[in-house]
mmCIF file of all heavy atoms in Angstrom:
data_model
loop_
_atom_site.group_PDB
_atom_site.id
_atom_site.type_symbol
_atom_site.label_atom_id
_atom_site.label_comp_id
_atom_site.label_asym_id
_atom_site.label_seq_id
_atom_site.Cartn_x
_atom_site.Cartn_y
_atom_site.Cartn_z
ATOM 1 N N LYS A 276 -4.606 46.693 -15.940
ATOM 2 C CA LYS A 276 -3.122 47.013 -16.341
ATOM 3 C C LYS A 276 -2.931 46.835 -17.824
ATOM 4 O O LYS A 276 -2.180 47.561 -18.549
ATOM 5 C CB LYS A 276 -2.175 45.994 -15.641
ATOM 6 C CG LYS A 276 -2.029 46.412 -14.163
ATOM 7 C CD LYS A 276 -1.140 45.318 -13.415
ATOM 8 C CE LYS A 276 0.344 45.496 -13.746
ATOM 9 N NZ LYS A 276 1.058 46.478 -12.889
ATOM 10 N N GLU A 277 -3.692 45.989 -18.470
ATOM 11 C CA GLU A 277 -3.719 45.825 -19.948
ATOM 12 C C GLU A 277 -4.196 47.073 -20.622
ATOM 13 O O GLU A 277 -3.682 47.623 -21.512
ATOM 14 C CB GLU A 277 -4.520 44.571 -20.399
ATOM 15 C CG GLU A 277 -4.131 44.049 -21.815
ATOM 16 C CD GLU A 277 -4.747 44.916 -22.838
ATOM 17 O OE1 GLU A 277 -5.847 45.489 -22.604
ATOM 18 O OE2 GLU A 277 -4.214 44.978 -23.929
ATOM 19 N N GLY A 278 -5.276 47.521 -20.076
ATOM 20 C CA GLY A 278 -5.802 48.828 -20.412
ATOM 21 C C GLY A 278 -6.683 49.218 -21.439
ATOM 22 O O GLY A 278 -7.083 50.365 -21.669
ATOM 23 N N SER A 279 -6.818 48.215 -22.388
ATOM 24 C CA SER A 279 -7.621 48.435 -23.619
ATOM 25 C C SER A 279 -9.087 48.544 -23.246
ATOM 26 O O SER A 279 -9.565 48.020 -22.201
ATOM 27 C CB SER A 279 -7.304 47.329 -24.672
ATOM 28 O OG SER A 279 -7.880 46.198 -24.260
ATOM 29 N N GLU A 280 -9.837 49.114 -24.184
ATOM 30 C CA GLU A 280 -11.277 49.225 -23.933
ATOM 31 C C GLU A 280 -11.901 47.827 -23.845
ATOM 32 O O GLU A 280 -12.770 47.582 -23.045
ATOM 33 C CB GLU A 280 -11.937 49.968 -25.125
ATOM 34 C CG GLU A 280 -11.712 51.498 -24.994
ATOM 35 C CD GLU A 280 -12.259 52.024 -23.709
ATOM 36 O OE1 GLU A 280 -13.402 51.766 -23.311
ATOM 37 O OE2 GLU A 280 -11.564 52.971 -23.128
ATOM 38 N N GLU A 281 -11.331 46.871 -24.614
ATOM 39 C CA GLU A 281 -11.834 45.491 -24.592
ATOM 40 C C GLU A 281 -11.568 44.871 -23.253
ATOM 41 O O GLU A 281 -12.436 44.214 -22.715
ATOM 42 C CB GLU A 281 -11.075 44.671 -25.755
ATOM 43 C CG GLU A 281 -11.542 43.245 -25.730
ATOM 44 C CD GLU A 281 -10.697 42.389 -26.747
ATOM 45 O OE1 GLU A 281 -9.705 42.999 -27.319
ATOM 46 O OE2 GLU A 281 -11.012 41.173 -26.955
ATOM 47 N N SER A 282 -10.374 45.100 -22.709
ATOM 48 C CA SER A 282 -10.086 44.466 -21.355
ATOM 49 C C SER A 282 -11.021 45.177 -20.293
ATOM 50 O O SER A 282 -11.454 44.414 -19.415
ATOM 51 C CB SER A 282 -8.651 44.853 -21.044
ATOM 52 O OG SER A 282 -7.848 43.917 -21.806
ATOM 53 N N LEU A 283 -11.253 46.430 -20.380
ATOM 54 C CA LEU A 283 -12.071 47.086 -19.334
ATOM 55 C C LEU A 283 -13.510 46.626 -19.453
ATOM 56 O O LEU A 283 -14.277 46.484 -18.393
ATOM 57 C CB LEU A 283 -12.052 48.645 -19.585
ATOM 58 C CG LEU A 283 -10.691 49.313 -19.338
ATOM 59 C CD1 LEU A 283 -10.791 50.766 -19.474
ATOM 60 C CD2 LEU A 283 -10.091 49.002 -17.895
ATOM 61 N N LYS A 284 -13.859 46.282 -20.657
ATOM 62 C CA LYS A 284 -15.338 45.683 -20.781
ATOM 63 C C LYS A 284 -15.249 44.267 -20.248
ATOM 64 O O LYS A 284 -16.244 43.920 -19.597
ATOM 65 C CB LYS A 284 -15.669 45.662 -22.365
ATOM 66 C CG LYS A 284 -17.064 45.079 -22.599
ATOM 67 C CD LYS A 284 -17.397 45.075 -24.027
ATOM 68 C CE LYS A 284 -18.798 44.564 -24.280
ATOM 69 N NZ LYS A 284 -19.025 43.166 -23.756
ATOM 70 N N LYS A 285 -14.141 43.489 -20.396
ATOM 71 C CA LYS A 285 -14.057 42.210 -19.830
ATOM 72 C C LYS A 285 -14.236 42.211 -18.337
ATOM 73 O O LYS A 285 -14.879 41.414 -17.686
ATOM 74 C CB LYS A 285 -12.900 41.495 -20.265
ATOM 75 C CG LYS A 285 -12.714 41.112 -21.685
ATOM 76 C CD LYS A 285 -11.518 40.381 -22.104
ATOM 77 C CE LYS A 285 -11.468 39.881 -23.535
ATOM 78 N NZ LYS A 285 -10.140 39.327 -23.944
ATOM 79 N N ARG A 286 -13.736 43.265 -17.697
ATOM 80 C CA ARG A 286 -13.762 43.409 -16.260
ATOM 81 C C ARG A 286 -15.189 43.586 -15.883
ATOM 82 O O ARG A 286 -15.761 43.038 -15.010
ATOM 83 C CB ARG A 286 -12.937 44.616 -15.817
ATOM 84 C CG ARG A 286 -12.961 44.871 -14.296
ATOM 85 C CD ARG A 286 -12.220 46.066 -13.868
ATOM 86 N NE ARG A 286 -12.596 47.363 -14.423
ATOM 87 C CZ ARG A 286 -12.702 48.413 -13.781
ATOM 88 N NH1 ARG A 286 -12.318 48.473 -12.501
ATOM 89 N NH2 ARG A 286 -13.016 49.547 -14.331
ATOM 90 N N THR A 287 -15.883 44.426 -16.544
ATOM 91 C CA THR A 287 -17.239 44.793 -16.275
ATOM 92 C C THR A 287 -18.160 43.512 -16.438
ATOM 93 O O THR A 287 -18.996 43.140 -15.668
ATOM 94 C CB THR A 287 -17.888 45.872 -17.161
ATOM 95 O OG1 THR A 287 -17.134 47.103 -16.924
ATOM 96 C CG2 THR A 287 -19.352 46.134 -16.882
ATOM 97 N N ASP A 288 -17.925 42.767 -17.583
ATOM 98 C CA ASP A 288 -18.559 41.684 -17.847
ATOM 99 C C ASP A 288 -18.366 40.469 -16.866
ATOM 100 O O ASP A 288 -19.307 39.725 -16.481
ATOM 101 C CB ASP A 288 -18.120 41.013 -19.219
ATOM 102 C CG ASP A 288 -18.663 41.875 -20.369
ATOM 103 O OD1 ASP A 288 -19.619 42.793 -20.075
ATOM 104 O OD2 ASP A 288 -18.174 41.673 -21.537
ATOM 105 N N LEU A 289 -17.149 40.412 -16.216
ATOM 106 C CA LEU A 289 -16.878 39.360 -15.175
ATOM 107 C C LEU A 289 -17.741 39.601 -13.970
ATOM 108 O O LEU A 289 -18.277 38.749 -13.439
ATOM 109 C CB LEU A 289 -15.408 39.390 -14.852
ATOM 110 C CG LEU A 289 -14.886 38.362 -13.774
ATOM 111 C CD1 LEU A 289 -15.162 36.971 -14.260
ATOM 112 C CD2 LEU A 289 -13.363 38.608 -13.569
ATOM 113 N N TRP A 290 -17.674 40.833 -13.504
ATOM 114 C CA TRP A 290 -18.560 41.234 -12.280
ATOM 115 C C TRP A 290 -19.971 40.985 -12.626
ATOM 116 O O TRP A 290 -20.757 40.653 -11.653
ATOM 117 C CB TRP A 290 -18.151 42.566 -11.786
ATOM 118 C CG TRP A 290 -16.787 42.632 -11.249
ATOM 119 C CD1 TRP A 290 -15.622 42.966 -11.743
ATOM 120 C CD2 TRP A 290 -16.491 42.267 -9.865
ATOM 121 N NE1 TRP A 290 -14.574 42.889 -10.920
ATOM 122 C CE2 TRP A 290 -15.072 42.430 -9.732
ATOM 123 C CE3 TRP A 290 -17.204 41.969 -8.778
ATOM 124 C CZ2 TRP A 290 -14.407 42.125 -8.539
ATOM 125 C CZ3 TRP A 290 -16.516 41.629 -7.481
ATOM 126 C CH2 TRP A 290 -15.135 41.735 -7.520
ATOM 127 N N ARG A 291 -20.408 41.340 -13.809
ATOM 128 C CA ARG A 291 -21.758 41.021 -14.093
ATOM 129 C C ARG A 291 -22.145 39.564 -14.143
ATOM 130 O O ARG A 291 -23.227 39.202 -13.723
ATOM 131 C CB ARG A 291 -22.176 41.804 -15.503
ATOM 132 C CG ARG A 291 -23.553 41.557 -15.915
ATOM 133 C CD ARG A 291 -23.835 42.201 -17.241
ATOM 134 N NE ARG A 291 -23.709 43.669 -17.330
ATOM 135 C CZ ARG A 291 -22.738 44.257 -18.005
ATOM 136 N NH1 ARG A 291 -21.992 43.591 -18.836
ATOM 137 N NH2 ARG A 291 -22.694 45.633 -17.922
ATOM 138 N N TYR A 292 -21.083 38.753 -14.579
ATOM 139 C CA TYR A 292 -21.364 37.327 -14.563
ATOM 140 C C TYR A 292 -21.510 36.775 -13.174
ATOM 141 O O TYR A 292 -22.408 35.966 -12.943
ATOM 142 C CB TYR A 292 -20.121 36.639 -15.230
ATOM 143 C CG TYR A 292 -20.254 35.177 -15.474
ATOM 144 C CD1 TYR A 292 -20.825 34.663 -16.672
ATOM 145 C CD2 TYR A 292 -19.916 34.228 -14.514
ATOM 146 C CE1 TYR A 292 -20.957 33.243 -16.718
ATOM 147 C CE2 TYR A 292 -20.029 32.834 -14.622
ATOM 148 C CZ TYR A 292 -20.523 32.362 -15.876
ATOM 149 O OH TYR A 292 -20.678 31.018 -15.986
ATOM 150 N N LEU A 293 -20.739 37.280 -12.253
ATOM 151 C CA LEU A 293 -20.887 36.912 -10.852
ATOM 152 C C LEU A 293 -22.291 37.275 -10.355
ATOM 153 O O LEU A 293 -22.943 36.452 -9.676
ATOM 154 C CB LEU A 293 -19.821 37.642 -10.057
ATOM 155 C CG LEU A 293 -19.971 37.408 -8.500
ATOM 156 C CD1 LEU A 293 -19.784 36.067 -8.037
ATOM 157 C CD2 LEU A 293 -18.985 38.462 -7.766
ATOM 158 N N LYS A 294 -22.816 38.457 -10.601
ATOM 159 C CA LYS A 294 -24.118 38.855 -10.184
ATOM 160 C C LYS A 294 -25.122 38.115 -10.722
ATOM 161 O O LYS A 294 -26.177 37.626 -10.133
ATOM 162 C CB LYS A 294 -24.311 40.297 -10.520
ATOM 163 C CG LYS A 294 -25.627 40.913 -9.995
ATOM 164 C CD LYS A 294 -25.646 42.513 -10.245
ATOM 165 C CE LYS A 294 -26.899 43.079 -9.639
ATOM 166 N NZ LYS A 294 -26.921 44.617 -9.884
ATOM 167 N N ASN A 295 -25.094 37.772 -12.095
ATOM 168 C CA ASN A 295 -26.039 36.912 -12.704
ATOM 169 C C ASN A 295 -26.121 35.537 -12.249
ATOM 170 O O ASN A 295 -27.165 34.815 -12.266
ATOM 171 C CB ASN A 295 -25.939 37.056 -14.187
ATOM 172 C CG ASN A 295 -26.252 38.340 -14.787
ATOM 173 O OD1 ASN A 295 -26.894 39.211 -14.248
ATOM 174 N ND2 ASN A 295 -25.756 38.634 -16.056
ATOM 175 N N ALA A 296 -24.971 34.965 -11.918
ATOM 176 C CA ALA A 296 -24.831 33.526 -11.480
ATOM 177 C C ALA A 296 -25.499 33.423 -10.095
ATOM 178 O O ALA A 296 -26.272 32.432 -9.896
ATOM 179 C CB ALA A 296 -23.384 33.149 -11.496
ATOM 180 N N SER A 297 -25.322 34.265 -9.191
ATOM 181 C CA SER A 297 -25.909 34.222 -7.825
ATOM 182 C C SER A 297 -25.841 35.610 -7.231
ATOM 183 O O SER A 297 -24.691 36.029 -6.843
ATOM 184 C CB SER A 297 -25.116 33.233 -6.989
ATOM 185 O OG SER A 297 -25.552 33.285 -5.615
ATOM 186 N N ARG A 298 -26.980 36.169 -7.071
ATOM 187 C CA ARG A 298 -26.939 37.496 -6.429
ATOM 188 C C ARG A 298 -26.402 37.454 -5.003
ATOM 189 O O ARG A 298 -25.842 38.413 -4.437
ATOM 190 C CB ARG A 298 -28.349 38.158 -6.474
ATOM 191 C CG ARG A 298 -28.756 38.633 -7.918
ATOM 192 C CD ARG A 298 -30.140 39.270 -7.999
ATOM 193 N NE ARG A 298 -30.404 39.693 -9.270
ATOM 194 C CZ ARG A 298 -30.109 40.948 -9.771
ATOM 195 N NH1 ARG A 298 -29.515 41.872 -8.946
ATOM 196 N NH2 ARG A 298 -30.415 41.289 -11.017
ATOM 197 N N GLY A 299 -26.802 36.291 -4.324
ATOM 198 C CA GLY A 299 -26.324 36.130 -2.969
ATOM 199 C C GLY A 299 -24.831 36.084 -2.851
ATOM 200 O O GLY A 299 -24.222 36.789 -2.015
ATOM 201 N N THR A 300 -24.173 35.244 -3.745
ATOM 202 C CA THR A 300 -22.685 35.207 -3.825
ATOM 203 C C THR A 300 -22.033 36.534 -4.101
ATOM 204 O O THR A 300 -21.136 37.001 -3.468
ATOM 205 C CB THR A 300 -22.289 34.128 -4.697
ATOM 206 O OG1 THR A 300 -22.768 32.851 -4.244
ATOM 207 C CG2 THR A 300 -20.782 34.110 -4.787
ATOM 208 N N SER A 301 -22.708 37.222 -5.072
ATOM 209 C CA SER A 301 -22.248 38.529 -5.497
ATOM 210 C C SER A 301 -22.333 39.531 -4.343
ATOM 211 O O SER A 301 -21.261 40.227 -4.037
ATOM 212 C CB SER A 301 -23.174 39.108 -6.561
ATOM 213 O OG SER A 301 -22.680 40.377 -7.021
ATOM 214 N N ARG A 302 -23.290 39.523 -3.546
ATOM 215 C CA ARG A 302 -23.436 40.379 -2.357
ATOM 216 C C ARG A 302 -22.344 40.102 -1.329
ATOM 217 O O ARG A 302 -21.583 40.954 -0.750
ATOM 218 C CB ARG A 302 -24.780 40.334 -1.632
ATOM 219 C CG ARG A 302 -25.893 41.033 -2.426
ATOM 220 C CD ARG A 302 -27.052 41.176 -1.542
ATOM 221 N NE ARG A 302 -27.627 39.926 -1.234
ATOM 222 C CZ ARG A 302 -28.678 39.356 -1.934
ATOM 223 N NH1 ARG A 302 -29.021 39.800 -3.086
ATOM 224 N NH2 ARG A 302 -29.096 38.147 -1.573
ATOM 225 N N LEU A 303 -22.091 38.766 -1.126
ATOM 226 C CA LEU A 303 -20.995 38.390 -0.184
ATOM 227 C C LEU A 303 -19.580 38.822 -0.606
ATOM 228 O O LEU A 303 -18.874 39.307 0.165
ATOM 229 C CB LEU A 303 -21.038 36.850 0.061
ATOM 230 C CG LEU A 303 -22.220 36.262 0.761
ATOM 231 C CD1 LEU A 303 -22.229 34.785 0.699
ATOM 232 C CD2 LEU A 303 -22.240 36.791 2.157
ATOM 233 N N VAL A 304 -19.337 38.639 -1.995
ATOM 234 C CA VAL A 304 -18.111 38.950 -2.499
ATOM 235 C C VAL A 304 -17.803 40.487 -2.419
ATOM 236 O O VAL A 304 -16.757 40.984 -2.189
ATOM 237 C CB VAL A 304 -17.910 38.416 -3.978
ATOM 238 C CG1 VAL A 304 -16.666 39.010 -4.633
ATOM 239 C CG2 VAL A 304 -17.753 36.975 -3.892
#
Side-chain angles (χ1 to χ4, degrees):
K276 287 175 78 81
E277 200 283 330
S279 67
E280 288 300 318
E281 180 184 5
S282 290
L283 296 179
K284 182 178 183 301
K285 287 179 180 178
R286 177 182 63 143
T287 301
D288 289 346
L289 178 60
W290 287 93
R291 184 180 295 120
Y292 186 89
L293 172 65
K294 186 175 182 179
N295 291 338
S297 169
R298 288 182 178 271
T300 298
S301 179
R302 284 194 296 271
L303 291 172
V304 169

